[in-house]
Amino acid sequence: MSILFDEIPSLDLADFTSGSVEQKAAFVKKLSEAYENIGFVAIKNHGLNQDLQDRLYKSIKDFFSLPDEVKTKYEHPEIGFQRGYTGKGKEHAKGRNTGDLKEFFHVGQELSEIPEGDSVKEEYPSNVWPEEIPEFKDAATEAFQTLEKAGKAMLRAIAISLELEEDYFEDKVAYGNSILRQIHYFPIENPEEVPDDAVRAAEHGDINLITLLMGASADGLQVLRKDGKWIPITALPDQLVVNVGDMLERLTNKKLKSTIHRVVNPPRELMNTSRYSIPFFMHPRSEMDLTCLESCISEENPKQFEDATAGEFLDERLRELGLKK
């Protein structure tokens, strides 16, 4: 039975991580219902405290307020912008040519944290840290690790909802290719000089397994409901928004929905204001097999995707987004 939500459901992650058997089961049921219908939930008790969020936001605001010529020192197109800074308008949504009205900074796994002998240690580029903002590294690294831990808990609940072993995703996301993206939707002083179709983030689905989004600093995030209506996503300050990505949709043969979403421009009189947002894109290791689960294939829902690994799928999508040549 299809459900049309007017807002995204709110859940308490503590019900799953430390609740009773009944609370845990209820969490999984509500999560499954949300992910099969709208692909988004808001969660509290995710481990990210206010002090860390404040430190993180301060360091990214300080970085993005640096002159463009300083920021571009940290830009690395040769690695597909997978670490460090990506300049204004460099990324566009799949199927579009107009760049989004944003700039961002990518942080991945700290190589020193990965055990010797693990193949991914050779696969990932090193993180890039802005020397002008010394506190940037500590805040971003701590946030990465905290969000990764919350993401693993969410994946355990998702595994149960799919009738898999609870630890199904554990080895697949251990030192996974996840990205903490710190975004600045920059002020537009003269809106009439911007292309008519330019928006802060055009409609798109996320590439990864799941995305954990830290409370954006202004309105604008919208999700496309099944009936074609755009509904606003609002989360309380103590919540993270967690949504299904394309890799999880692919693995589950569209049982779980990677829902199209966008960040719309504010009213013209507010175009000259900044908006900050910090999504954590939870990726598995590149060798993870994304072949549709047998349990998600049926006569009513025949297999909809070619077999691929996470690495192959990511490579294809980065080229579509203009980040990789």
Side-chain angles (χ1 to χ4, degrees):
M1 186 185 75
S2 185
I3 303 169
L4 290 177
F5 290 98
D6 289 320
E7 55 185 28
I8 63 167
S10 292
L11 300 173
D12 185 345
L13 186 55
D15 286 349
F16 180 76
T17 54
S18 56
S20 64
V21 173
E22 293 77 18
Q23 285 173 309
K24 190 171 178 176
F27 180 93
V28 170
K29 184 173 183 293
K30 286 181 198 156
L31 183 69
S32 179
E33 203 171 69
Y35 279 176
E36 287 180 29
N37 286 283
I38 199 163
F40 277 76
V41 294
I43 62 162
K44 63 178 182 178
N45 287 317
H46 39 69
L48 207 63
N49 63 41
Q50 195 57 50
D51 171 63
L52 174 55
Q53 291 188 56
D54 291 346
R55 284 188 287 123
L56 189 62
Y57 272 108
K58 182 181 185 309
S59 67
I60 69 162
K61 285 175 181 176
D62 289 349
F63 175 77
F64 287 122
S65 64
L66 294 169
D68 285 352
E69 60 271 20
V70 175
K71 289 182 287 194
T72 52
K73 287 194 308 189
Y74 301 105
E75 197 158 40
H76 290 279
E78 75 282 1
I79 54 168
F81 299 96
Q82 287 300 285
R83 301 290 184 272
Y85 177 67
T86 301
K88 297 168 180 170
K90 293 270 172 79
E91 184 181 63
H92 57 77
K94 179 181 173 182
R96 288 172 65 102
N97 293 316
T98 305
D100 287 341
L101 303 177
K102 66 187 182 198
E103 56 183 341
F104 50 89
F105 198 100
H106 276 166
V107 174
Q109 296 282 358
E110 266 293 84
L111 299 186
S112 60
E113 301 282 329
I114 301 174
E116 289 302 327
D118 190 322
S119 60
V120 294
K121 206 175 175 87
E122 309 303 315
E123 206 178 298
Y124 301 153
S126 298
N127 277 318
V128 174
W129 301 113
E131 58 196 35
E132 294 79 2
I133 320 288
E135 62 279 12
F136 189 107
K137 178 181 178 179
D138 284 350
T141 305
E142 191 180 338
F144 185 103
Q145 291 166 349
T146 305
L147 288 162
E148 185 176 51
K149 186 178 176 187
K152 286 177 178 176
M154 292 295 289
L155 286 171
R156 288 200 298 276
I158 290 165
I160 294 170
S161 79
L162 295 168
E163 298 179 355
L164 301 167
E165 292 293 326
E166 186 173 330
D167 65 356
Y168 175 84
F169 291 101
E170 283 291 313
D171 60 334
K172 297 168 182 63
V173 297
Y175 306 107
N177 193 16
S178 298
I179 292 280
L180 182 73
R181 173 182 280 195
Q182 300 165 95
I183 306 173
H184 177 217
Y185 299 101
F186 49 85
I188 305 291
E189 299 301 338
N190 299 306
E192 58 283 348
E193 293 175 9
V194 172
D196 289 343
D197 62 343
V199 292
R200 285 182 155 178
E203 57 277 6
H204 65 283
D206 293 341
I207 302 170
N208 38 286
L209 285 172
I210 56 173
T211 301
L212 296 92
L213 175 69
M214 200 181 303
S217 63
D219 293 337
L221 182 61
Q222 298 180 340
V223 60
L224 184 61
R225 209 165 61 173
K226 279 182 181 172
D227 61 353
K229 181 182 177 186
W230 287 97
I231 63 168
I233 298 262
T234 49
L236 298 169
D238 65 342
Q239 291 178 326
L240 293 177
V241 171
V242 187
N243 63 282
V244 174
D246 293 348
M247 289 183 183
L248 189 57
E249 178 178 78
R250 196 180 181 109
L251 181 73
T252 63
N253 199 32
K254 291 200 169 177
K255 178 182 168 75
L256 304 187
K257 303 288 183 281
S258 175
T259 305
I260 298 295
H261 51 287
R262 66 186 182 186
V263 180
V264 296
N265 294 338
R268 280 179 91 82
E269 65 274 12
L270 293 176
M271 283 287 279
N272 63 350
T273 57
S274 284
R275 178 182 191 268
Y276 299 91
S277 162
I278 309 175
F280 178 76
F281 297 125
M282 189 144 192
H283 281 265
R285 299 166 67 92
S286 59
E287 71 263 21
M288 182 183 176
D289 185 1
L290 297 178
T291 299
C292 300
L293 295 165
E294 287 293 333
S295 59
C296 296
I297 301 170
S298 63
E299 271 186 43
E300 302 79 54
N301 188 28
K303 187 177 174 186
Q304 300 184 56
F305 299 100
E306 295 291 313
D307 298 350
T309 64
E312 289 163 349
F313 181 60
L314 175 63
D315 192 64
E316 174 193 315
R317 288 296 303 275
L318 289 177
R319 290 175 199 283
E320 289 171 347
L321 299 178
L323 292 178
K324 203 168 181 180
K325 297 290 181 270

Short mmCIF file of all heavy atoms in Angstrom, two decimals, residues 288-311:
data_model
loop_
_atom_site.label_atom_id
_atom_site.label_comp_id
_atom_site.label_asym_id
_atom_site.label_seq_id
_atom_site.Cartn_x
_atom_site.Cartn_y
_atom_site.Cartn_z
N MET A 288 32.09 -3.44 -3.19
CA MET A 288 30.76 -3.93 -2.82
C MET A 288 29.94 -4.25 -4.08
O MET A 288 29.84 -3.45 -5.00
CB MET A 288 29.98 -2.92 -1.98
CG MET A 288 28.61 -3.47 -1.57
SD MET A 288 27.59 -2.29 -0.65
CE MET A 288 26.08 -3.27 -0.49
N ASP A 289 29.33 -5.42 -4.08
CA ASP A 289 28.49 -5.86 -5.19
C ASP A 289 27.09 -5.26 -5.02
O ASP A 289 26.43 -5.49 -4.01
CB ASP A 289 28.42 -7.40 -5.17
CG ASP A 289 27.66 -7.98 -6.35
OD1 ASP A 289 27.20 -7.18 -7.20
OD2 ASP A 289 27.53 -9.22 -6.42
N LEU A 290 26.67 -4.47 -6.01
CA LEU A 290 25.34 -3.84 -5.95
C LEU A 290 24.28 -4.64 -6.71
O LEU A 290 23.18 -4.14 -6.96
CB LEU A 290 25.39 -2.41 -6.50
CG LEU A 290 26.27 -1.41 -5.75
CD1 LEU A 290 26.24 -0.06 -6.45
CD2 LEU A 290 25.83 -1.26 -4.30
N THR A 291 24.60 -5.88 -7.08
CA THR A 291 23.62 -6.73 -7.75
C THR A 291 22.33 -6.80 -6.91
O THR A 291 22.40 -6.98 -5.69
CB THR A 291 24.18 -8.16 -7.93
OG1 THR A 291 25.37 -8.06 -8.74
CG2 THR A 291 23.18 -9.07 -8.62
N CYS A 292 21.19 -6.62 -7.56
CA CYS A 292 19.90 -6.62 -6.85
C CYS A 292 19.75 -7.87 -5.98
O CYS A 292 20.02 -8.98 -6.43
CB CYS A 292 18.73 -6.57 -7.84
SG CYS A 292 18.74 -5.13 -8.90
N LEU A 293 19.30 -7.67 -4.74
CA LEU A 293 19.07 -8.78 -3.83
C LEU A 293 17.95 -9.68 -4.39
O LEU A 293 16.92 -9.18 -4.83
CB LEU A 293 18.64 -8.26 -2.45
CG LEU A 293 19.68 -7.44 -1.67
CD1 LEU A 293 19.01 -6.68 -0.53
CD2 LEU A 293 20.80 -8.33 -1.14
N GLU A 294 18.19 -10.98 -4.35
CA GLU A 294 17.19 -11.94 -4.85
C GLU A 294 15.82 -11.71 -4.20
O GLU A 294 14.78 -11.81 -4.84
CB GLU A 294 17.65 -13.38 -4.60
CG GLU A 294 18.80 -13.83 -5.49
CD GLU A 294 18.43 -13.96 -6.96
OE1 GLU A 294 17.24 -14.20 -7.25
OE2 GLU A 294 19.32 -13.79 -7.82
N SER A 295 15.87 -11.38 -2.89
CA SER A 295 14.61 -11.23 -2.13
C SER A 295 13.80 -10.02 -2.60
O SER A 295 12.62 -9.87 -2.25
CB SER A 295 14.91 -11.10 -0.64
OG SER A 295 15.75 -9.98 -0.41
N CYS A 296 14.43 -9.12 -3.37
CA CYS A 296 13.73 -7.91 -3.84
C CYS A 296 13.29 -8.05 -5.31
O CYS A 296 12.79 -7.09 -5.90
CB CYS A 296 14.63 -6.68 -3.68
SG CYS A 296 15.02 -6.29 -1.96
N ILE A 297 13.49 -9.24 -5.87
CA ILE A 297 13.09 -9.49 -7.26
C ILE A 297 11.88 -10.43 -7.25
O ILE A 297 11.87 -11.42 -6.53
CB ILE A 297 14.25 -10.13 -8.07
CG1 ILE A 297 15.48 -9.20 -8.05
CG2 ILE A 297 13.83 -10.43 -9.50
CD1 ILE A 297 16.75 -9.83 -8.60
N SER A 298 10.86 -10.08 -8.02
CA SER A 298 9.66 -10.92 -8.08
C SER A 298 9.01 -10.74 -9.45
O SER A 298 9.46 -9.92 -10.26
CB SER A 298 8.66 -10.51 -6.99
OG SER A 298 8.24 -9.16 -7.22
N GLU A 299 7.93 -11.48 -9.69
CA GLU A 299 7.21 -11.30 -10.96
C GLU A 299 6.66 -9.89 -11.09
O GLU A 299 6.69 -9.28 -12.14
CB GLU A 299 6.05 -12.31 -11.05
CG GLU A 299 6.46 -13.64 -11.67
CD GLU A 299 5.27 -14.57 -11.89
OE1 GLU A 299 4.22 -14.09 -12.35
OE2 GLU A 299 5.42 -15.75 -11.57
N GLU A 300 6.14 -9.36 -9.96
CA GLU A 300 5.59 -7.99 -9.97
C GLU A 300 6.71 -6.95 -10.07
O GLU A 300 6.49 -5.84 -10.54
CB GLU A 300 4.79 -7.71 -8.69
CG GLU A 300 3.63 -8.64 -8.40
CD GLU A 300 4.07 -9.97 -7.80
OE1 GLU A 300 4.79 -9.95 -6.78
OE2 GLU A 300 3.72 -11.02 -8.36
N ASN A 301 7.90 -7.28 -9.56
CA ASN A 301 9.02 -6.33 -9.55
C ASN A 301 10.25 -7.02 -10.15
O ASN A 301 11.17 -7.40 -9.43
CB ASN A 301 9.30 -5.87 -8.11
CG ASN A 301 10.32 -4.75 -8.07
OD1 ASN A 301 10.46 -3.98 -9.02
ND2 ASN A 301 11.07 -4.66 -6.99
N PRO A 302 10.27 -7.20 -11.50
CA PRO A 302 11.42 -7.87 -12.12
C PRO A 302 12.69 -7.04 -11.95
O PRO A 302 12.63 -5.83 -11.69
CB PRO A 302 11.02 -7.98 -13.59
CG PRO A 302 9.92 -6.99 -13.79
CD PRO A 302 9.24 -6.80 -12.48
N LYS A 303 13.83 -7.68 -12.10
CA LYS A 303 15.13 -7.01 -11.92
C LYS A 303 15.27 -5.81 -12.85
O LYS A 303 15.05 -5.93 -14.06
CB LYS A 303 16.25 -8.03 -12.19
CG LYS A 303 17.64 -7.53 -11.87
CD LYS A 303 18.67 -8.62 -12.09
CE LYS A 303 20.07 -8.04 -11.92
NZ LYS A 303 21.11 -9.00 -12.26
N GLN A 304 15.62 -4.64 -12.27
CA GLN A 304 15.61 -3.40 -13.04
C GLN A 304 17.00 -2.82 -13.33
O GLN A 304 17.11 -1.80 -13.98
CB GLN A 304 14.78 -2.34 -12.29
CG GLN A 304 13.34 -2.79 -12.08
CD GLN A 304 12.49 -1.71 -11.42
OE1 GLN A 304 12.41 -0.60 -11.92
NE2 GLN A 304 11.86 -2.04 -10.31
N PHE A 305 18.05 -3.47 -12.79
CA PHE A 305 19.40 -2.90 -12.95
C PHE A 305 20.39 -3.96 -13.40
O PHE A 305 20.31 -5.12 -13.01
CB PHE A 305 19.88 -2.32 -11.61
CG PHE A 305 19.04 -1.20 -11.08
CD1 PHE A 305 18.10 -1.44 -10.08
CD2 PHE A 305 19.18 0.09 -11.56
CE1 PHE A 305 17.32 -0.41 -9.56
CE2 PHE A 305 18.40 1.12 -11.06
CZ PHE A 305 17.47 0.88 -10.06
N GLU A 306 21.37 -3.51 -14.19
CA GLU A 306 22.50 -4.37 -14.55
C GLU A 306 23.38 -4.55 -13.30
O GLU A 306 23.41 -3.68 -12.43
CB GLU A 306 23.36 -3.68 -15.63
CG GLU A 306 22.66 -3.48 -16.96
CD GLU A 306 22.42 -4.80 -17.67
OE1 GLU A 306 23.35 -5.61 -17.75
OE2 GLU A 306 21.27 -5.02 -18.13
N ASP A 307 24.09 -5.66 -13.22
CA ASP A 307 25.01 -5.87 -12.11
C ASP A 307 26.15 -4.85 -12.19
O ASP A 307 26.60 -4.51 -13.29
CB ASP A 307 25.61 -7.29 -12.15
CG ASP A 307 24.53 -8.37 -12.01
OD1 ASP A 307 23.38 -8.01 -11.71
OD2 ASP A 307 24.85 -9.56 -12.20
N ALA A 308 26.60 -4.37 -11.03
CA ALA A 308 27.74 -3.43 -11.00
C ALA A 308 28.31 -3.42 -9.60
O ALA A 308 27.61 -3.73 -8.63
CB ALA A 308 27.28 -2.02 -11.39
N THR A 309 29.57 -3.04 -9.49
CA THR A 309 30.14 -2.81 -8.15
C THR A 309 29.92 -1.34 -7.80
O THR A 309 29.64 -0.51 -8.67
CB THR A 309 31.66 -3.08 -8.12
OG1 THR A 309 32.31 -2.13 -8.99
CG2 THR A 309 31.99 -4.51 -8.55
N ALA A 310 30.08 -1.02 -6.52
CA ALA A 310 29.93 0.36 -6.06
C ALA A 310 30.93 1.27 -6.76
O ALA A 310 30.61 2.41 -7.13
CB ALA A 310 30.09 0.43 -4.55
N GLY A 311 32.16 0.77 -6.96
CA GLY A 311 33.20 1.58 -7.60
C GLY A 311 32.85 1.91 -9.05
O GLY A 311 33.03 3.05 -9.50
#
